[in-house]
Structure formats: C-alpha cells, structure tokens
Amino acid sequence: MAYAMDTKGRQKSKGGKQIVAAIDIGTTYSGYAYSFAHDFRKDPMKVYGITNWFPGTVHLVTSKTPTILLLNNDKTFKAFGYEAENMYGELQPEGVQKDYYYFKSFKIVLYNSLELKGDTEITDAFGRTMKAVKVFSIVIEYLKDHLYGGLKHILLDVDDNDIRWVLTVPAIWNDSCKQLMRDAAELAGIQKENLIIVLEPDAASLFCMHLPVARITMEGNMSDSMRVSPFSKGRKYMVVDAGGETVEITIQEVIDSDKPNTLHSFGGAWGGTGVDAAYENFLTTIIGEKTYDRFKTESAEDHIDLLRKFETKKRGVIAGKTGKDVIKIPVCLADVYQETTGKGLKDRICEIREYQDKVKWNGDKIRLDVDIVKSWFDKSCTDIVQLVKKIFHDDKSVGVNTILLVGGFSESQMLQEAMKRNFPDKRLIIPEEGSLMVLKGATIFGHTI
C-alpha cells in the first residue's frame, strides 16, 4: 500500500490521514482506540489508546468504561462512565438526583426502533426525555476529547484534519440508525468528510484476519477441510458478538484478503447483564423485593459497589470448578433487611429449603455452592446457544463451519464452554481480549478505506 506524506513529513493513511481513531459506543461499555499510518504499514495490529478505566471503589480495571451519561439539569455534560455512576450514587442519598439526567443502557433504544427520526427521544432513569441524537453526540464528544487528551499527553501535535474517525455500529441497524450516528458525530465536532461508519462484525473479523495463526485459539473436531484458514477468500463463517445487553450474530463471507462482507444478521437482547439479573434475583429471593428496593434507593453507592464486585467475580467463574465460592456483600444490606423485617439473615436463609446447607451469609460475605453461581449463567448461555442452533438450521448458514466468538461476554469461560459443548463439529475461534476486537478492527478498517 502506498502512503503519502503530510506537510510535516508524516505518513498518511489511504484516506489521507496520519491517525485513524475509532469510537465504539456499546450497550454496556464504551471506549476508543487509535493507530498511526506509519505504524500500520509495518504492523496493522499496533493500536494505542486502549485506556484502563478504574471505578475507584473496588479492585476492578476495564478496557472500556460503562455507557452511562450524567447531565446537569440544563442538559449540559456532567460526567460519563464510572465517574457518572459514582456521582449518581452520591446524589441519591441527598435526594437531588432528579435534578440531573441519568442515561444508562440507552443504546438499546436504537435496537428497538424500526423507524428513527431526527426528533426521536431517549428516556432517562426518571422519565425525563432528550433527543437521541443529542445524547449520542455528547458521548461521542466526551470520548473524542478524552482521546485528544491522550494524544496531548504524549506531546503529539495534531488537529481535526489529521484524524480519520471511525464509528462502529451493529449490522442489524437500519439506515436511519446509522444516519442518526453520523448526525451525532457531526454535532460532536467531527466533520462528515473525516468520518466513516463500520459494521461491528466486519471490524471484529478484520482484526482477526490480521492475527497470526499462533494467536488464534481454535476449538472443535476439525476435518481436513476445516484446517485451512477460516479467512481465506470465499470462505463463509459466523460471527457471534456477545456483548453486555445484546448479542448480534452475522453470517460473513471473505470477498478479499482484508474485506469481510456481512451477508445476514440476527440479534436480540441477550448478553452478560443477564447474569447480573440472575444474581440480583438470587438476592431478592432471600431478602425480598421490598428490602432490596429500599437498599437500592437508600444505599445507592453500596448497590453500585455490590454490582461492581460481582463483575469482578463473574469474570473469574470457571466452568469446571466445584465446591464452594465466596461473594462480597455490603454489610448494610443485612442491616436494611433487619430494619425492614425485624429478622436476621441467617434465620431467613434457614427458612429457604433450596438454600439449606448450600448458602451461608456472614457479615459482608456469602459462602455458597459454586453450582449456584454457575446457574446464574444458564439463561444467557442457553439463549445464545439456542439462537446459534436456530441460525445453523437456516439455509443461509449452508457451508458455514466456523464460529468467531467476540464481545465482552465472549471472555466468559462459562459461555465458551457452552459453545464448545453444543457445537463440537464446528471450528470455534476465541480471540484473546474479545471485548476489544471491534474497536481494534475499526482502526484497521479506517486505514484501508
């Protein structure tokens, strides 16, 4: 690939930019990455800007930050990500949270919209509405400015015309959804001539095409015909992008050495947050809905802390583990139960037959059978497996014998084992850091267009 030079003697991408920056706004987590034209020529996989985000309250580090937006009462920016979640937790006990706009999981609105218009609105946690295009533009602007801050930190002199921006979108989105994101990007200060849109499964596939064979983990009983490269020209394969709240499954075909093409797409609201819901249902079964609702309202910071600690726990659940497990719980949860019911939690657990000798609650810890913990993954994993099976029975999947598993939930060993167990005759490819495949692939895409 030939590279031109800019006025400062720096190499430019095929699109005439020295930097490609990608923004991925997910239903649960969001982030950005960038790469340089001079690096791409030598190593397309050399990507920068994958930021470590810290919630500040628990031992948890993520490569993306939660897709949570907090705005002031006048709809101006207040905070995003973990910071927004922390501030919201602090505001609730003070009773002033309704003076703010709090948007969480708002991307799901676009999944459910058959027809979007410029005035389509998103509803926040308190029923207050705001134009969807404005909400997304504020998020894009925040991530854009955060990226610029990183570039300035390494003393890089760049301006808007030095960067080609890539925005990722689901393959199942219609044209109106994609146009809304273009409009949002323009509102965020990205000129339309500097912006390109890439489908998320195309981006994930593109990155995996550049992975050395040694770094591709392949599972399954492979026939001789399956041992050739899954990304050679003309090959068809399935991409299962398992995220936090949504799962998107696409059938793709390689039309050139660096050009995946989405043929068919399917999706639904199944993902890793279903495990969180099962965990909260477990707690509600023990302490009751009234107590749990009071805990979430009066101890919002502790509720956030509870879910973050569980996020750390769920990332380490091993399919083959047996015996007992321990989960950290805020002490105040037991106190709220005592105040609400006049009973102790130890006595309450003894009343639940299915948990006798399997669950013990002591202070800030629950000790329980690991099979109970693993059962919280059942519905999410089963839903994904059943959808994949349904698609394989469709004529559109004829000739597909490879599954590429990516997305945040793809890093769960519970899901990985469920896929291996149910599709032993398929080649299953599980890249490392599956949650970053879309973001990294999007930077590659920006250099090749």
Side-chain angles (χ1 to χ4, degrees), residues 277-340:
Y279 171 53
E280 292 196 271
N281 286 338
F282 163 79
L283 294 175
T284 303
T285 298
I286 295 175
I287 66 176
E289 289 186 16
K290 182 179 179 181
T291 300
Y292 198 66
D293 287 344
R294 180 180 172 186
F295 165 69
K296 289 193 294 184
T297 301
E298 298 180 3
S299 306
E301 291 178 87
D302 288 313
H303 178 243
I304 292 170
D305 187 59
L306 178 146
L307 293 178
R308 286 178 179 171
K309 285 177 178 175
F310 181 66
E311 181 66 27
T312 303
K313 168 62 64 177
K314 103 179 167 183
R315 288 168 184 246
V317 175
I318 300 172
K321 184 178 179 180
T322 58
K324 300 289 184 179
D325 209 339
V326 175
I327 297 178
K328 294 274 288 182
I329 299 289
V331 174
C332 72
L333 185 54
D335 294 338
V336 173
Y337 180 76
Q338 180 79 42
E339 293 172 7
T340 304

Side-chain angles (χ1 to χ4, degrees), residues 186-198:
E186 195 168 355
L187 277 175
I190 298 176
Q191 297 177 9
K192 58 183 177 182
E193 58 267 25
N194 293 336
L195 174 71
I196 53 178
I197 300 289
V198 62

Side-chain angles (χ1 to χ4, degrees), residues 387-427:
L387 179 58
V388 173
K389 285 183 176 180
K390 181 178 179 181
I391 295 170
F392 270 123
H393 282 104
D394 193 293
D395 291 341
K396 297 182 177 72
S397 299
V398 172
V400 175
N401 54 29
T402 297
I403 302 171
L404 174 60
L405 184 62
V406 298
F409 193 36
S410 75
E411 298 176 5
S412 165
Q413 191 181 120
M414 295 296 293
L415 177 58
Q416 293 176 10
E417 289 300 317
M419 293 294 288
K420 294 174 191 177
R421 185 172 63 254
N422 283 277
F423 304 101
D425 60 331
K426 305 297 181 184
R427 171 172 46 187

Side-chain angles (χ1 to χ4, degrees), residues 123-167:
T123 304
D124 84 336
F126 306 105
R128 305 174 73 184
T129 60
M130 188 169 169
K131 287 185 179 180
V133 67
K134 183 60 177 176
V135 173
F136 279 96
S137 73
I138 292 173
V139 174
I140 293 171
E141 185 172 12
Y142 169 80
L143 293 172
K144 176 174 71 76
D145 291 345
H146 203 282
L147 185 151
Y148 269 119
L151 292 174
K152 289 179 180 177
H153 184 70
I154 60 175
L155 305 177
L156 193 63
D157 179 25
V158 295
D159 57 39
D160 290 344
N161 289 323
D162 292 321
I163 301 178
R164 160 167 278 192
W165 294 91
V166 183
L167 203 57

Side-chain angles (χ1 to χ4, degrees), residues 104-389:
K104 183 176 181 179
S105 303
F106 51 86
K107 186 181 177 182
I108 199 73
V109 171
L110 301 193
Y111 278 91
N112 299 329
S113 297
L114 296 177
E115 183 179 354
L116 283 178
K117 299 178 181 178
D119 58 354
T120 295
E121 295 187 327
I122 294 177
T123 304
D124 84 336
F126 306 105
R128 305 174 73 184
T129 60
M130 188 169 169
K131 287 185 179 180
V133 67
K134 183 60 177 176
V135 173
F136 279 96
S137 73
I138 292 173
V139 174
I140 293 171
E141 185 172 12
Y142 169 80
L143 293 172
K144 176 174 71 76
D145 291 345
H146 203 282
L147 185 151
Y148 269 119
L151 292 174
K152 289 179 180 177
H153 184 70
I154 60 175
L155 305 177
L156 193 63
D157 179 25
V158 295
D159 57 39
D160 290 344
N161 289 323
D162 292 321
I163 301 178
R164 160 167 278 192
W165 294 91
V166 183
L167 203 57
T168 66
V169 298
I172 61 175
W173 275 12
N174 57 30
D175 289 342
S176 60
C177 291
K178 296 171 189 174
Q179 186 58 50
L180 183 143
M181 295 301 285
R182 290 189 182 94
D183 294 341
E186 195 168 355
L187 277 175
I190 298 176
Q191 297 177 9
K192 58 183 177 182
E193 58 267 25
N194 293 336
L195 174 71
I196 53 178
I197 300 289
V198 62
L199 301 183
E200 291 166 3
D202 288 0
S205 295
L206 191 54
F207 186 81
C208 291
M209 286 179 180
H210 286 81
L211 277 173
V213 176
R215 288 184 57 187
I216 298 179
T217 302
M218 289 190 256
E219 308 283 349
N221 300 319
M222 292 180 287
S223 63
D224 290 339
S225 64
M226 292 170 63
R227 295 184 185 278
V228 299
S229 170
F231 303 115
S232 57
K233 187 175 180 179
R235 304 287 295 189
K236 290 171 63 178
Y237 56 95
M238 176 185 291
V239 179
V240 178
D241 186 354
E245 291 196 31
T246 58
V247 174
E248 184 175 33
I249 300 175
T250 54
I251 304 298
Q252 297 203 297
E253 181 178 20
V254 181
I255 59 175
D256 207 338
S257 59
D258 61 354
K259 288 183 174 63
N261 180 47
T262 295
L263 301 176
H264 310 285
S265 58
F266 315 82
W270 312 286
T273 53
V275 183
D276 300 356
Y279 171 53
E280 292 196 271
N281 286 338
F282 163 79
L283 294 175
T284 303
T285 298
I286 295 175
I287 66 176
E289 289 186 16
K290 182 179 179 181
T291 300
Y292 198 66
D293 287 344
R294 180 180 172 186
F295 165 69
K296 289 193 294 184
T297 301
E298 298 180 3
S299 306
E301 291 178 87
D302 288 313
H303 178 243
I304 292 170
D305 187 59
L306 178 146
L307 293 178
R308 286 178 179 171
K309 285 177 178 175
F310 181 66
E311 181 66 27
T312 303
K313 168 62 64 177
K314 103 179 167 183
R315 288 168 184 246
V317 175
I318 300 172
K321 184 178 179 180
T322 58
K324 300 289 184 179
D325 209 339
V326 175
I327 297 178
K328 294 274 288 182
I329 299 289
V331 174
C332 72
L333 185 54
D335 294 338
V336 173
Y337 180 76
Q338 180 79 42
E339 293 172 7
T340 304
T341 67
K343 299 180 181 179
L345 274 171
K346 289 184 180 180
D347 295 335
R348 167 58 183 154
I349 291 174
C350 290
E351 297 174 359
I352 307 175
R353 182 174 299 178
E354 63 179 302
Y355 293 152
Q356 288 179 9
D357 301 323
K358 294 182 179 181
V359 178
K360 294 187 182 300
W361 196 312
N362 186 17
D364 66 342
K365 297 182 182 68
I366 298 179
R367 181 176 173 81
L368 70 172
D369 283 6
V370 73
D371 286 342
I372 295 177
V373 178
K374 291 193 289 187
S375 73
W376 300 335
F377 290 78
D378 287 348
K379 187 177 189 310
S380 292
C381 291
T382 299
D383 286 345
I384 294 171
V385 165
Q386 291 303 317
L387 179 58
V388 173
K389 285 183 176 180

